[in-house]
Amino acid sequence: DAGVIQSPRHEVTEMGQEVTLRCKPISGHDYLFWYRQTMMRGLELLIYFNNNVPIDDSGMPEDRFSAKMPNASFSTLKIQPSEPRDSAVYFCASSPDRVSGDEAFFGQGTRLTVV
Amino acid sequence: GQQLNQSPQSMFIQEGEDVSMNCTSSSIFNTWLWYKQEPGEGPVLLIALYKAGELTSNGRLTAQFGITRKDSFLNISASIPSDVGIYFCALGRSQGNLIFGKGTKLSVKP
């Protein structure tokens, strides 16, 4: 398996533009997580899905952020409109069912810069 | 909410030295995980702990799940330059998600 795949690796956009981040989890994993990493706040959980259903989105900072998981192999995180303070590295991670363990496997991240 | 404290924040050591870092939580958890993140990459799982008192090794790395289930430590023996990175502890919650510590940044001088 290729692991968790995220795209793009880098994104530079102007304030006010819509940004869409993409993630392909590891095949067979039941859980998918979106994290944001900044120097100030570290790794923050934004939202996670279990079997494509959003379970907890309390970490989503504002209504400008939305996430979808239309099927087991694809998820998106959208920011509309984007703001400079959204600049961060966004990670997607997936993990198998709870019986197998709690280990989450991370993608390489998308470095977002909003200017 | 739960508090997760990781220390130290950073370490500057000489190659060959041993390293120790730890995490404490305000609540009891059933899972402790240790990750390493290198520049430009996502965190990579090093060790997973599921039982209080469990001691697990992965090469030169050793981690233990505290008896009280509120703490864990990670030791690295005989450090080498490629050990450089940020080490995170993480807690597994019953809902299925993970909470991460702030990280320990390790620098190794050859």
Side-chain angles (χ1 to χ4, degrees), chain A residues 60-94:
Chain A
M60 298 285 260
E62 298 172 33
D63 291 345
R64 298 183 296 106
F65 286 69
S66 63
K68 293 182 180 179
M69 192 166 185
N71 58 63
S73 59
F74 183 66
S75 177
T76 58
L77 178 67
K78 186 176 293 186
I79 308 173
Q80 165 64 19
S82 58
E83 296 182 4
R85 60 193 167 122
D86 301 332
S87 298
V89 181
Y90 291 81
F91 287 104
C92 176
S94 70

Side-chain angles (χ1 to χ4, degrees), chain B residues 18-69:
Chain B
D18 296 342
V19 172
S20 184
M21 59 192 78
N22 68 85
C23 280
T24 58
S25 69
S26 56
S27 304
I28 291 174
F29 287 89
N30 293 322
T31 305
W32 281 94
L33 306 171
W34 285 94
Y35 285 81
K36 178 188 177 186
Q37 185 178 24
E38 296 184 8
E41 301 293 330
V44 174
L45 181 67
L46 298 174
I47 292 178
L49 303 162
Y50 291 100
K51 295 181 182 177
E54 180 180 357
L55 184 71
T56 298
S57 293
N58 179 4
R60 292 179 295 103
L61 277 60
T62 301
Q64 183 161 29
F65 192 154
I67 290 290
T68 64
R69 292 200 286 159

Side-chain angles (χ1 to χ4, degrees), chain A residues 2 6 14 17 19 27-28 33 37 45 47-48 51 54 57 68-69 82 88-89 92 95 98-99 101 106 108-109:
Chain A
Q6 291 186 246
E14 290 186 345
Q17 296 297 305
V19 174
S27 177
F33 309 88
Q37 186 176 37
L45 177 66
I47 184 172
Y48 76 100
N51 292 320
D57 65 354
K68 293 182 180 179
M69 192 166 185
S82 58
V89 181
C92 176
S95 68
R98 299 306 309 287
V99 174
F106 283 75
Q108 291 185 297

